[in-house]
DNA sequence: CTTATTTATGCTCTGCAAGAGCATAAATAA
DNA sequence: TTATTTATGCTCTTGCAGAGCATAAATAAG
């Protein structure tokens, strides 16, 4: 399991699948590979990070990607089991909290540059961890997730990138002639831009990470779009790239992971998966803020967390906080056995 | 597309997939079929229903199942597109609102009786529709979803089935000797039973449909468990079956769909996908209650829906309501363009 | 050693939204 | 007519979230 050397694999069909269904059309099942992909998230020094790996055999500009590998039903009894196995091999990490995100199968979105990989369905997973338990190996590295999505970084206010580059280009895209709204996207382009990016008085919803990325992809503003052979081109090429691209469809999977985490900490106590065993309430708050972005009201945050019974004092205190020593707390695991299994249901306050 | 005749299909590999990755272990990708499955939900006469199909070629006790078919990357550009294509062929229905639920890949859970189907990963989808737009064909039929999950039907109070059959058998199961908690299920059996089924003062959470079904499956209390060759057996066989089973893992997919719908109507306006264009507020409430179960406070429901701007009056009224005529409303589609895109965030009140 | 600064923590005030119920309007049924 | 049923408007209460004031107890500066 320690061998993380990812080399080339030969695809073998095992046996013809038992006949099940016939159709009158020429619809046939062809071989599909299932890719298992992990967005492994942690918070280090108040910075939300994700574990990225570099494929030593990769020739395509040496992009980084998420840990991943094909699902092998012979070796893996479950999808998640297969994922854990691949992650351990590639990063040395034993995953803790893990949940499935989504399965992506759009034709052409799993390509590498100039690649014609036939058919891969990517199943994305989110894993949360605390780096104390993480012994990442050399070919993997923690990267700030804002490196891939700079427009999501609102810790210092609205990113200038939005007004300077993204909004004008999206507006131009929205105004291009287009067919009527498709069933998958019932809204018009301009409305989608407004809602996703909080323009014209609409609020910025920090959970819409995936929707924003998909919009930028459709508009041809991220590198992956050009790699996949989508339109855009000319106008865009000379302008600065938006965020660091990842291999295959991994940036889309990471966007899904960010959306999920940002939504989930509000109604399930998953934030504690990112914390060490003991922590101060302010450290907890900083971790929440690292994930969500904006600043929270300190006193109200304390009240919320304590009154919900999410934590209990350890009895110890922590000095060196720069002021009065802070009480240390630990996660009250018993809340999982109690009624509504609450999260840290916070709303972002003003800065 | 009108041919819904589902016959037998020959599996063909199209071409060897380009080499991508090799591992040092004997881990190889073998052929995996991807099944696309649709839980198509509607509400007819205040009864929540799901579209079931009967496989004419099926010899296995002739169980019903959900509309489904294999993903064919040659024919289907996207997963959802493939799903729509299969559903239309099998049921004559053109899907409207559709969302992906989950991908299931556990070995052995896609079997039929005595079957050794190699490897199928099932991707479940939820679709919401209103039967006025539904021209279901003969091999398909709307079934109350409570037929498959009678313990979820709280419209007449707590189902007697729970105390009479389910709880004693689950308690027996929870007390059997077992290994320590697995990473996938960190809680002990007794705790999981208590939380999922609202025992010992815990509240019944109507969203935990999937968790409850999985618990019953693990405990060997649903037919699918025995079909898949799980333990249980002896004690159970003579007792009444719990709910009507479905083919393959379709009941699990339906459970996932119920969980998702019950959760989602609380924060997204998806309930209107189940309504005709015009409706009274009480009809809307009845539809919500059909999905969620318990009764809601009528006046507060009105206030909630109206003040959230979810509906607008059509100007018409509807008589024959059995009392004073009711104003007709329609869904205000504009809310999709507004700030928090609200659902019908209701909490179940007392009966 | 004293004072300023910083962080931790307790507490209050206010407004809104949800839960619950009363009361009236306007049909149908007897 | 009168009783019944459904529709709809309004009020009262409670709890919680947002916001801010005030004090405690450390560290940093002089």
């Amino acid at each position: 399991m320690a061998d993380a050397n990812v080399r080339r694999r030969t695809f073998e069909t095992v046996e013809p699948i038992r006949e099940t269904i016939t159709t009158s059309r020429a619809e046939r099942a062809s071989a599909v590979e299932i890719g298992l992909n992990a967005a492994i998230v942690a918070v280090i020094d108040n910075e939300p990070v994700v574990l990225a790996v570099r494929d030593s055999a990769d020739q395509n500009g040496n992009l980084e990607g998420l840990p991943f590998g094909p699902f092998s039903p012979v070796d893996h009894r479950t999808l998640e089991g297969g994922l854990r196995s691949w992650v351990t091999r590639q990063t040395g990490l034993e995953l803790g909290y893990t949940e499935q995100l989504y399965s992506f199968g759009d034709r052409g979105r799993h390509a590498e540059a100039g690649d014609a990989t036939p058919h891969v369905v990517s199943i994305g997973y989110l894993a949360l961890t605390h780096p104390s338990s993480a012994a990442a190996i050399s070919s993997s590295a923690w990267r700030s997730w804002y490196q891939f999505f700079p427009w999501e970084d609102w810790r210092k206010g609205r990113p200038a990138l939005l007004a300077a580059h993204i909004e004008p280009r999206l507006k131009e895209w929205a105004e291009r002639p287009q067919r009527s709204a498709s069933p998958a996207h019932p809204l018009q382009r301009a409305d989608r831009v407004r809602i996703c990016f909080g323009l014209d008085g609409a609020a910025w919803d920090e959970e819409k990470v995936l929707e924003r990325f998909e919009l930028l992809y459709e508009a041809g503003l991220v590198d992956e779009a050009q790699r996949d052979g989508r339109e855009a081109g000319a106008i865009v090429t000379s302008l600065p790239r938006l965020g660091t691209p990842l291999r295959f469809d991994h940036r889309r999977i990471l966007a899904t992971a960010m959306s999920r985490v940002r939504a989930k900490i509000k109604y399930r106590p998953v934030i504690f998966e990112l914390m060490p065993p003991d922590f101060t309430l302010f450290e907890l708050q900083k971790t929440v803020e690292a994930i969500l972005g904006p600043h929270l009201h300190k006193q109200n945050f304390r009240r919320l967390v304590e009154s919900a019974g999410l934590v209990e004092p350890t009895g110890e205190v922590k000095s060196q906080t720069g002021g009065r020593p802070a009480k240390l707390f630990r996660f009250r695991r018993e809340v999982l056995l109690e009624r509504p299994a609450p999260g840290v249901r916070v709303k972002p306050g003003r800065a």
Side-chain angles (χ1 to χ4, degrees), chain A:
Chain A
M1 289 300 247
D3 184 355
N5 197 352
V6 178
R7 307 194 213 106
R8 300 202 158 266
R9 178 183 50 70
T10 305
F11 182 88
E12 298 180 304
T13 54
V14 170
E15 61 194 350
I17 286 190
R18 188 187 74 96
E19 294 183 347
T20 317
I21 289 180
T22 313
T23 76
S24 50
R25 265 177 53 195
E27 210 147 359
R28 296 160 309 189
S30 47
V32 184
E33 182 169 317
I34 295 182
L36 302 170
N37 310 270
I40 305 167
V41 171
V43 173
I44 302 177
D45 296 334
N46 295 329
E47 186 81 25
V49 293
V50 62
L51 198 55
V53 297
R54 191 172 291 279
D55 180 3
S56 52
D58 178 23
Q59 302 305 318
N60 301 292
N62 223 10
L63 287 186
E64 288 188 323
L66 302 178
F68 86 104
F71 173 58
S72 162
V74 175
D75 300 298
H76 306 138
R77 198 177 50 77
T78 64
L79 295 169
E80 191 177 308
L83 179 89
R84 288 175 186 273
S85 156
W86 279 113
V87 167
T88 301
R89 178 162 335 151
Q90 288 179 18
T91 72
L93 200 62
E94 296 278 353
L95 292 186
Y97 179 89
T98 305
E99 68 174 72
Q100 193 187 101
L101 290 169
Y102 202 82
S103 298
F104 297 101
D106 315 49
R107 188 181 293 160
R109 284 198 65 170
H110 191 273
E112 302 230 75
D115 184 15
T117 306
H119 304 301
V120 177
V121 170
S122 300
I123 308 185
Y125 282 81
L126 164 68
L128 302 179
T129 190
H130 183 259
S132 78
S133 61
I137 60 177
S138 64
S139 61
S140 62
W142 296 106
R143 304 281 179 225
S144 169
W145 73 18
Y146 295 123
Q147 174 181 343
F148 309 104
F149 304 96
W151 54 90
E152 301 291 345
D153 186 0
W154 283 56
R155 290 172 301 178
K156 292 167 183 164
R158 178 172 245 269
L161 176 70
L162 280 167
H165 297 291
I166 294 181
E167 288 169 21
R169 290 204 251 167
L170 280 178
K171 283 189 173 156
E172 185 275 325
W173 171 76
E175 284 158 8
R176 279 185 226 167
Q178 52 189 297
R179 294 175 238 108
S180 60
S182 70
H185 291 299
L187 299 180
Q188 296 296 318
R189 284 179 175 180
D191 280 327
R192 293 175 59 208
V193 169
R194 190 171 60 79
I195 307 274
C196 285
F197 286 87
L199 308 181
D200 304 328
W204 179 271
D205 180 352
E206 78 271 353
E207 296 181 16
K208 290 194 163 61
V209 182
L210 177 63
E211 290 92 324
R212 283 188 282 270
F213 181 72
E214 290 294 289
L215 210 46
L216 293 174
Y217 179 91
E218 281 186 59
L221 302 186
V222 292
D223 279 12
E224 284 90 337
Q226 288 163 268
R227 177 204 66 194
D228 298 348
R230 290 186 67 91
E231 45 171 327
I235 328 171
V236 191
T237 30
S238 63
L239 295 172
R241 53 168 51 178
L242 298 174
T244 305
L246 288 171
R247 296 182 72 190
F248 304 125
D249 53 354
H250 287 184
R251 193 148 53 140
R252 172 157 68 159
I253 292 168
L254 178 55
T256 313
M258 290 174 63
S259 290
R260 181 72 63 90
V261 181
R262 285 180 165 183
K264 197 148 194 175
I265 61 172
K266 289 165 194 157
Y267 62 95
R268 289 290 140 119
V270 290
I271 188 70
F272 300 101
E273 307 291 341
L274 300 168
M275 302 298 297
D278 294 359
F279 48 83
T280 72
L281 293 187
F282 196 52
E283 288 168 348
L284 182 65
Q285 178 179 346
K286 284 295 179 194
T287 305
V288 171
E289 289 177 343
I291 299 292
L292 287 186
H295 298 295
L296 305 172
H297 186 284
K298 193 169 173 176
Q299 297 95 314
N300 290 347
F301 180 82
R302 294 177 59 82
R303 178 178 63 186
L304 188 73
V305 170
E306 287 192 287
S307 68
L310 288 168
V311 296
E312 60 191 1
T314 67
E316 313 268 293
V317 295
K318 175 173 185 175
S319 301
Q320 327 293 347
T321 62
R324 169 177 166 176
K327 277 192 259 187
L328 283 170
F329 291 82
R330 72 171 74 91
F331 176 42
R332 265 192 73 239
R333 296 229 161 254
E334 300 89 317
V335 292
L336 296 173
L337 308 181
E338 292 164 7
R339 254 70 67 77
V344 184
R345 49 191 193 295
V346 291
K347 295 177 188 170
R350 319 185 270 199

